[in-house]
Structures are given as C-alpha cells and as structure tokens.
Amino acid sequence: MASSLETVVYTAHTHVTGGRTGTGKSSDGALDVTLSSPGSGKPGTNPEQLFGIGYSACFIGALNKAALERKIRLPDDASVDADVALGKTATGEYQLAVTLNVNLPGLDEGLKRELVETAHQTCPYSRMTRGNVEVELAVV
C-alpha cells in the first residue's frame, strides 16, 4: 500500500459486497452490517451514517487531545452529533456536506470554540475532508 504515512498506527480491514444494498464487515468481526440506501425504508445502515459516527468519534478524540494540551479535562458528557448530507452539485455529481454539532457542557464559550477549532485542525477526518467536503462546525 502506497502511503505518505511515516508510521502506521492502525489499519482497518473491511469487506463490502452489494454496494449500498449489500453487507459490510470488518476482518476482526467487530463490525457486521446490512447496508441500505438512504430513505429506502429497508433495514440496514448506509455509508453516510457510518461516516458520521466515524467522524464524530474521531473528532471527540481530537477534542480530548486539545483539552490535554491545555491541561484541562473534557467534560464526561461531551458529544458530537454529525449531520452528513448527500446531495448533488450544480454539475450533477454526488457530494457530501457535514455539520458537526459539538456539545461541551460546563465550559465557557471561548474555550469551547478554541477546543473545536484546534480539534478541527488535528482530527484526521477533518484533515481528509479539508478542501473536498464542506464542513460546518456548530458549538451547541
């Protein structure tokens, strides 16, 4: 695998058959999901939901790192709700847009914004989407 990574910390191995209406699983068996298209009403999850959960979890990790650098503790009930929109561009191509609603109860507004901005600079998902996917950050 060609990579610009100097050190690989972890590699996830997954297998999908059937695309948006198939199944997906991880090589370690921890994840085994049925997939369905958004709005189909059929049982299963979709790539947008999986992306939202992955991005949210990663972003909380980046928030924790930002808090540790400031020698503070992130609130135990810190949370991130992701809205992942799938739509079409003016040229008819499918594209994602993301809103991350970050909840950091008990912290002052300035510190919340500082932590969110720092996390957005360091989170691997944020770095991956930068310049490719519109990401809005909302501190709630």
Side-chain angles (χ1 to χ4, degrees):
M1 169 171 73
S3 175
S4 61
L5 300 176
E6 187 172 310
T7 304
V8 175
V9 177
Y10 172 77
T11 301
H13 300 281
T14 61
H15 180 77
V16 172
T17 58
R20 285 184 169 272
T21 58
T23 60
K25 59 179 131 182
S26 60
S27 62
D28 63 3
L31 180 66
D32 190 348
V33 296
T34 299
L35 301 169
S36 64
S37 293
S40 70
K42 295 182 179 176
T45 188
N46 60 64
E48 292 72 29
Q49 291 170 327
L50 294 169
F51 183 79
I53 287 173
Y55 198 165
S56 297
C58 190
F59 202 83
I60 289 174
L63 286 167
N64 271 314
K65 183 178 185 290
L68 284 173
E69 288 171 355
R70 286 159 183 77
K71 297 182 178 18
I72 62 169
R73 188 162 185 255
L74 206 62
D76 289 338
D77 52 352
S79 63
V80 175
D81 294 324
D83 297 324
V84 180
L86 171 65
K88 288 188 177 184
T89 65
T91 59
E93 297 173 319
Y94 283 100
Q95 178 66 36
L96 298 177
V98 178
T99 300
L100 297 180
N101 299 288
V102 183
N103 185 14
L104 300 171
L107 300 181
D108 83 29
E109 292 305 312
L111 180 56
K112 287 179 185 182
R113 294 206 177 281
E114 185 181 322
L115 292 173
V116 167
E117 285 302 321
T118 299
H120 191 48
Q121 295 306 309
T122 60
C123 172
Y125 275 70
S126 291
R127 292 171 48 107
M128 173 186 64
T129 59
R130 194 165 291 120
N132 297 307
V133 174
E134 181 182 323
V135 176
E136 180 183 332
L137 301 171
V139 181
V140 294

